[in-house]
Amino acid sequence: MSISRAGDETGTKDSNDIVECSVDYRGKPSVRSSSGGWRSSGFIIGAEVSEKFAYYGVATNLITYFTGPLDESTATAASNVNIWLGTAAFLPLIWGSIADSFLGRFRTIVLTSSLYILGLGLLTFSATIPSLCKDQETNASCVSQLKVTIFFCALYLIAIGEGGFKACLRAFGADQFDEQDPGESKSKSVYFNWTYFAVSTGTLATRLVSNYVQENLSWALGFGIPCLSMMLALFLFLLGTRTYRFSIGGEGKEEGRRKHNNPFVRIGRVFVAAAKNRRQTSSETLLLLPVQTSTKFRFLDRAAISCDSAEVEEAKAVLSLVPIWMCCLVFGLVYAQSPTFFTKQGSTMDRSISSTLLVPAATLQCFISLSILVFIPIYDRLFVPIARSITHKPAGITTLQRISIGIVLSIVSVVISALVEMKRLKTARDHGLVDFPEATVPMSIWWLVPQYVLYGVSDVFTMVGMQEFFYGQVPAELRSLGLAMYLSVIGIGSFLSSFMVSLIEKATSQSGQVSWFANNLNQAHLDYFYWLLACLSCVAFVFFVYFAKSYVYRSLK
């Protein structure tokens, strides 16, 4: 059944009210006036807010759980947190391919939400198991192996569920806006900004609530609340089913698909064909290509002998994103420090608000969310109009310019982190606290606020910019993969952070030296690590600018 014929059969809807290449939950052509747009996005944004409350309810204070109930060293805990965060952020690449090629986004969201809830339930159960046991040989205290086993199984089940959920939900939300309609196309750009605003609200709430509950009441309750929040997320998502638009290509429908319906198979075929035909001259392939073909990656043009020209252009579009993606990885490396070493910094400082009330160190991450909540309206209502009047671009600046500004701000943030840590170490030395790891350094935790605020503002530029860039610059059938590429920046950045911490820990603890990440932070040198990150970020930024200048944006069709 073709879309146009279906519209004629109803006889009640204007053809302009039919959204092309899109169906409703019954499989009938989507009607613009009764589906999609902000009508559908409300349910999706609500689900994402609830999911982020659940995710950050676990991730924000995880290093405290590792070094507390699980009794791990600072370096091991930071490495474990980074590996888990990296896994959760890298898995969207796999789930994105599964959604785009087989299951479709809607079914993937429902499946991974169920796994997510199961993982959170197991995590809550693991926290109820007593932490300490006794070694039968030495009679010394040890952490219950059952507790550790269930905890890690639950943690990585959460990562599997969260990876699929976030790979598809935001792409599914963006699918609710028709790019061919000028009004809805403009709303899509606003959607990315305000989704991030709403998500930051959920993140702020969980950082205020969960961290306090976990450290002052109960870890089991602190993990149980995120479990209930994830149940709410799934309920809200399913509640909007009748209003959703389902992309025909993305949801596995027969209509509108190319002969080779798996986009990854198509792209793979192009690279294989280009390699097989590498000895063909350019003049032999030139006649096989349309006049309007991209001039980049000409070696792929040789694939036109056995592949469709549209497939060749599709492969070029994906390949052109790789240099930008690689340059963003160092930003992901810096991004990994907030839930680990930033938090450990704060745990050694004066956290008192009153004689009886201490601020949990992880709660300072609230300033990331607050700065995002404050700056997104400023960006959308003030920065963009001013920039638009200067550049005459609808979005004010390009997405790559937006990302570059965020990278610069992240560099400034990590430089401030290094300077604050240098002052903290000096204060510890001046008060004779170097050999007392449990002592509170008489320096207010509020010294950390500037680095958190800049960290949040850089998120508004870089994270939202990457979302819009990778979503918009891939072929329509690879939109889940596009957002997964943005998420994988954070994932691989976390893996790199874990690798660097392990490598530096091994290198700096040899020959009787004190490790940069010693359990006694008053003897450690987190400031050296921050300076190293700043240098790496500067190098990556230079390469980013180089590739961004030569990048040609893909036009929407």
Side-chain angles (χ1 to χ4, degrees), residues 204-522:
L204 173 62
T206 194
R207 283 169 172 164
L208 286 172
V209 175
S210 296
N211 294 337
Y212 180 84
V213 171
Q214 289 163 359
E215 291 196 28
N216 295 281
L217 298 178
S218 162
W219 281 100
L221 181 59
F223 290 148
I225 293 173
C227 184
L228 293 175
S229 182
M230 190 58 215
M231 291 180 182
L232 176 62
L234 179 58
F235 171 75
L236 289 173
F237 178 73
L238 293 176
L239 195 62
T241 301
R242 290 176 177 269
T243 71
Y244 295 150
R245 295 173 186 169
F246 298 86
S247 170
I248 291 177
E251 294 301 315
K253 302 295 181 181
E254 291 288 333
E255 188 175 335
R257 305 294 292 273
R258 294 195 183 105
K259 180 180 178 180
H260 302 283
N261 63 355
N262 188 325
F264 302 96
V265 172
R266 291 201 306 271
I267 292 173
R269 287 179 66 252
V270 171
F271 283 99
V272 171
K276 287 182 177 179
N277 302 328
R278 60 185 180 278
R279 296 184 179 179
Q280 300 292 332
T281 63
S282 57
S283 58
E284 290 178 287
T285 59
L286 189 62
L287 296 175
L288 299 173
L289 294 168
V291 176
Q292 294 182 340
T293 184
S294 60
T295 58
K296 297 184 72 174
F297 308 116
R298 282 294 192 186
F299 68 92
L300 290 178
D301 290 344
R302 295 183 176 89
I305 294 175
S306 52
C307 298
D308 188 88
S309 61
E311 295 175 356
V312 175
E313 291 302 302
E314 192 175 62
K316 287 183 177 182
V318 172
L319 187 59
S320 66
L321 299 178
V322 174
I324 300 294
W325 178 81
M326 292 183 67
C327 291
C328 289
L329 291 179
V330 178
F331 173 81
L333 185 59
V334 173
Y335 190 87
Q337 307 316 312
S338 169
T340 54
F341 291 126
F342 281 16
T343 300
K344 290 302 292 182
Q345 263 184 298
S347 67
T348 67
M349 301 168 75
D350 182 9
R351 298 181 285 131
S352 59
I353 294 179
S354 67
S355 59
T356 57
L357 183 61
L358 292 179
V359 177
T363 299
L364 254 68
Q365 294 177 50
C366 289
F367 285 97
I368 298 175
S369 304
L370 281 171
S371 59
I372 292 171
L373 292 174
V374 170
F375 193 74
I376 282 182
I378 294 174
Y379 179 88
D380 197 53
R381 302 301 180 187
L382 186 62
F383 179 86
V384 170
I386 293 174
R388 187 185 294 136
S389 66
I390 298 172
T391 64
H392 304 293
K393 296 180 183 294
I397 55 176
T398 66
T399 50
L400 288 177
Q401 288 171 337
R402 181 171 185 171
I403 294 169
S404 66
I405 293 172
I407 293 175
V408 170
L409 291 173
S410 73
I411 294 172
V412 176
S413 174
V414 80
V415 167
I416 291 176
S417 304
L419 294 173
V420 170
E421 178 62 8
M422 290 172 67
K423 179 173 176 58
R424 192 193 68 81
L425 290 173
K426 183 178 183 301
T427 304
R429 288 193 299 268
D430 291 345
H431 288 80
L433 300 176
V434 173
D435 297 323
F436 300 93
E438 301 299 326
T440 299
V441 176
M443 177 179 171
S444 175
I445 196 173
W446 305 116
W447 276 88
L448 299 179
V449 170
Q451 68 198 55
Y452 279 109
V453 170
L454 275 172
Y455 192 97
V457 176
S458 73
D459 272 12
V460 174
F461 283 96
T462 307
M463 297 292 280
V464 182
M466 284 195 298
Q467 287 178 45
E468 190 171 352
F469 176 76
F470 286 113
Y471 178 89
Q473 295 303 303
V474 295
E477 290 185 338
L478 295 177
R479 290 287 168 75
S480 293
L481 177 65
L483 283 182
M485 287 184 72
Y486 130 74
L487 292 167
S488 68
V489 166
I490 307 305
I492 295 179
S494 295
F495 286 138
L496 289 174
S497 179
S498 178
F499 173 75
M500 284 182 64
V501 168
S502 299
L503 190 65
I504 293 171
E505 167 75 8
K506 185 176 180 180
T508 59
S509 60
Q510 292 177 347
S511 304
Q513 298 178 358
V514 178
S515 166
W516 287 10
F517 312 114
N519 289 340
N520 183 353
L521 288 187
N522 296 334

Side-chain angles (χ1 to χ4, degrees), residues 90-107:
F90 184 76
L91 282 173
L93 278 173
I94 298 174
W95 279 115
S97 65
I98 292 172
D100 284 336
S101 305
F102 305 108
L103 287 180
R105 295 182 188 118
F106 182 86
R107 286 185 289 273

Side-chain angles (χ1 to χ4, degrees), residues 45 151 459 554:
I45 291 174
F151 173 80
D459 272 12
R554 177 177 176 268

